[in-house]
Amino acid sequence: MSKLSELINTIKGSRELKGRLLITILILTLFRVITLIPVPGVDVTAIKNVFASNQLLSLLDIFSGGTLANFSILALGLNPYINASIIMQLLTMVIPKLEALQKEGESGSEVINQYTRMIAVPLSLLQAGAMYMVLQSGKLVTLDSPLALIALLLSMAAGSMLLMWLGENLTEYGIGNGISLLIFAGIVGRLPVTLFQTSATLSTINPWNLGLIVALGIAIIYAVVTVDEAKRQVTIQYARRIRGGNVGVSSSYLPIKLNNAGVIPIIFAIALVLAPSMIAQLLTRLPNTTLASAASSFAASFTPTSFAYNAIYFTLVVAFTYFYTAVVFDADKISDNLKKNGGYIPGIRPGTHTTAYLRRIVSRTTLPGAVFLGLIAVLPSIVSGMTGIQTITIGGTSLLIVVSVVLETYRKMQTYSVTRSYDSFVK
């Protein structure tokens, strides 16, 4: 309760924090309102029935915050922007000019972000077209003219760009990461629906299995908090620091988190692992019977409960954890900053030796964090196989995102509390 009261006092005493909280609430409220605006020319009732009967589409709907089942103008969600971000991160590794831009600091990052937005526009149009083809194959679209088709595609693409803009404003003017907050709002917004679906099947559920799910949920929350707070403290010493007129050596610590990537690897992995099934569903309508039959067989076997799906999902999460950790934790930059400020790791030479040492530590600490994220991602399928319950109130991935975003937001608000303390001390 002391931390809660401290947080409340911080909010009351900080005008900037109040403003950021207000902007965050307004943007999230606007997001939930826009999810109710449907795309023109679709049979929303029929789409809801299809999503309710398809586990793959239900997973997509949960992470879109219900925008897919309602088929609102935000139906594409943040997928085009996430895919564009993945493309740009990969391009920075192979194109020297982009790599140089990334090292230019804030100005270079702004240019890369602009390129990401530009790539997201054609991607949103392509994904809107793919979504239309899926709906058309199921006779869920009632378009009667090319102009109506253009209106549908532009509405979906514009909705995705609007969501991207809302996410960027959340990051800049609100509290926390905009993408994570929007996905968090979508999951929480869908929670009443999933609770209702689960309650409808309670009479057929074994009480021991239900108890197992509740116990696993509590264990997941504990594990997520533990892993999120876990870090390796690397001792840093600074020579020639004057304290009280004496020249000596001062020590501090460089914290290296067990999970530097947060929930971003899972978000990236979901965007990619669902693509093969969506493509296969499109190919099932081709006139070539051999190709259509192969695509149909693949779509039937590559489901969220299949071994292949979960193996690929787990591998993607682990790979993206290493990839994103390498992006956010720049060992070269940290080593250079330590050298410029007279800092060093005891027993390690400054420069390239320090860089290699930090990379070795990060690679070792990232492994358990990556495996943990991968296990959390495939946990719903494991639990479904153990208990036979297909409708689970909230999956491990959803729970991870919710808890991680809450912890991230809390730390952000603590940062404002420390800043406020420093400001009052200076005054």
Side-chain angles (χ1 to χ4, degrees):
M1 289 300 294
S2 60
K3 289 187 177 180
L4 180 60
S5 59
E6 179 185 349
L7 188 60
I8 294 174
N9 292 331
T10 301
I11 296 173
K12 290 180 178 178
S14 175
R15 178 179 295 180
E16 181 185 1
L17 188 53
K18 286 180 181 177
R20 287 183 173 271
L21 274 175
L22 180 61
I23 291 173
T24 300
I25 293 171
L26 288 175
I27 291 178
L28 293 181
T29 303
L30 180 62
F31 163 66
R32 294 307 305 168
V33 171
I34 297 176
T35 58
L36 303 176
I37 304 175
V39 173
V42 297
D43 189 345
V44 177
T45 303
I47 289 176
K48 286 184 178 180
N49 294 333
V50 170
F51 272 75
S53 61
N54 189 303
Q55 190 177 4
L56 180 68
L57 295 178
S58 296
L59 178 64
L60 270 173
D61 188 44
I62 288 174
F63 281 91
S64 68
T67 60
L68 275 175
N70 295 331
F71 216 78
S72 74
I73 60 173
L74 303 181
L76 293 178
L78 288 162
N79 283 332
Y81 182 69
I82 292 172
N83 292 334
S85 299
I86 296 172
I87 292 172
M88 281 305 302
Q89 294 292 349
L90 293 174
L91 289 178
T92 53
M93 300 176 66
V94 297
I95 300 178
K97 289 185 177 180
L98 291 178
E99 186 179 3
L101 273 176
Q102 194 175 38
K103 294 180 179 179
E104 288 182 5
E106 188 174 345
S107 60
S109 298
E110 181 58 35
V111 175
I112 290 178
N113 288 337
Q114 186 63 28
Y115 289 155
T116 304
R117 299 185 195 105
M118 294 169 64
I119 295 175
V121 174
L123 283 180
S124 63
L125 290 170
L126 287 173
Q127 292 185 21
M131 189 67 69
Y132 164 74
M133 293 174 66
V134 171
L135 293 177
Q136 187 185 41
S137 64
K139 298 180 180 179
L140 301 174
V141 184
T142 57
L143 302 180
D144 54 3
S145 67
L147 186 61
L149 172 60
I150 293 174
L152 182 142
L153 297 179
L154 291 180
S155 296
M156 294 178 66
S160 182
M161 295 302 100
L162 173 62
L163 196 57
M164 178 183 69
W165 179 77
L166 290 177
E168 290 183 349
N169 278 276
L170 265 177
T171 302
E172 185 172 357
Y173 303 110
I175 297 176
N177 183 282
I179 293 178
S180 301
L181 278 173
L182 288 173
I183 295 176
F184 166 83
I187 294 172
V188 173
R190 285 288 293 170
L191 189 57
V193 177
T194 51
L195 281 171
F196 176 77
Q197 292 174 348
T198 304
S199 63
T201 61
L202 283 179
S203 59
T204 62
I205 295 177
N206 187 326
W208 290 104
N209 290 339
L210 186 61
L212 175 62
I213 291 176
V214 173
L216 280 174
I218 296 173
I220 289 173
I221 293 175
Y222 176 80
V224 169
V225 174
T226 302
V227 172
D228 193 77
E229 296 292 332
K231 56 178 71 71
R232 164 77 182 273
Q233 301 278 24
V234 179
T235 304
I236 304 294
Q237 291 186 348
Y238 293 91
R240 298 181 181 178
R241 291 291 178 93
I242 300 177
R243 290 188 175 182
N246 298 319
V247 178
V249 177
S250 63
S251 298
S252 63
Y253 294 95
L254 173 66
I256 300 178
K257 296 184 66 176
L258 196 65
N259 178 21
N260 284 291
V263 299
I264 299 298
I266 287 185
I267 296 172
F268 281 3
I270 289 174
L272 291 184
V273 76
L274 295 176
S277 296
M278 300 298 293
I279 294 173
Q281 290 180 9
L282 290 175
L283 296 178
T284 55
R285 301 295 175 179
L286 290 177
N288 188 323
T289 55
T290 303
L291 186 58
S293 177
S296 180
S297 300
F298 177 83
S301 60
F302 196 73
T303 63
T305 56
S306 66
F307 175 79
Y309 175 94
N310 287 284
I312 294 175
Y313 191 10
F314 179 87
T315 304
L316 283 174
V317 171
V318 173
F320 274 121
T321 302
Y322 272 96
F323 172 74
Y324 199 75
T325 298
V327 172
V328 299
F329 189 92
D330 192 340
D332 290 311
K333 186 175 180 180
I334 293 174
S335 177
D336 290 340
N337 289 336
L338 287 175
K339 189 174 181 180
K340 291 176 182 177
N341 292 286
Y344 62 94
I345 300 173
I348 306 297
R349 292 181 181 179
T352 56
H353 291 80
T354 298
T355 302
Y357 179 76
L358 291 176
R359 285 177 177 168
R360 187 163 62 250
I361 291 178
V362 170
S363 65
R364 291 176 178 176
T365 56
T366 300
L367 179 60
V371 172
F372 172 77
L373 288 179
L375 290 176
I376 290 292
V378 301
L379 185 63
S381 296
I382 297 174
V383 174
S384 296
M386 293 172 58
T387 63
I389 302 174
Q390 299 298 326
T391 305
I392 299 176
T393 300
I394 187 167
T397 303
S398 303
L399 202 57
L400 171 68
I401 293 175
V402 169
V403 175
S404 298
V405 171
V406 170
L407 291 174
E408 180 186 355
T409 304
Y410 176 73
R411 279 195 292 266
K412 189 91 171 182
M413 297 175 77
Q414 275 188 323
T415 302
Y416 286 107
S417 176
V418 173
T419 305
R420 177 188 168 217
S421 300
Y422 280 129
D423 289 342
S424 61
F425 175 77
V426 172
K427 292 179 180 178

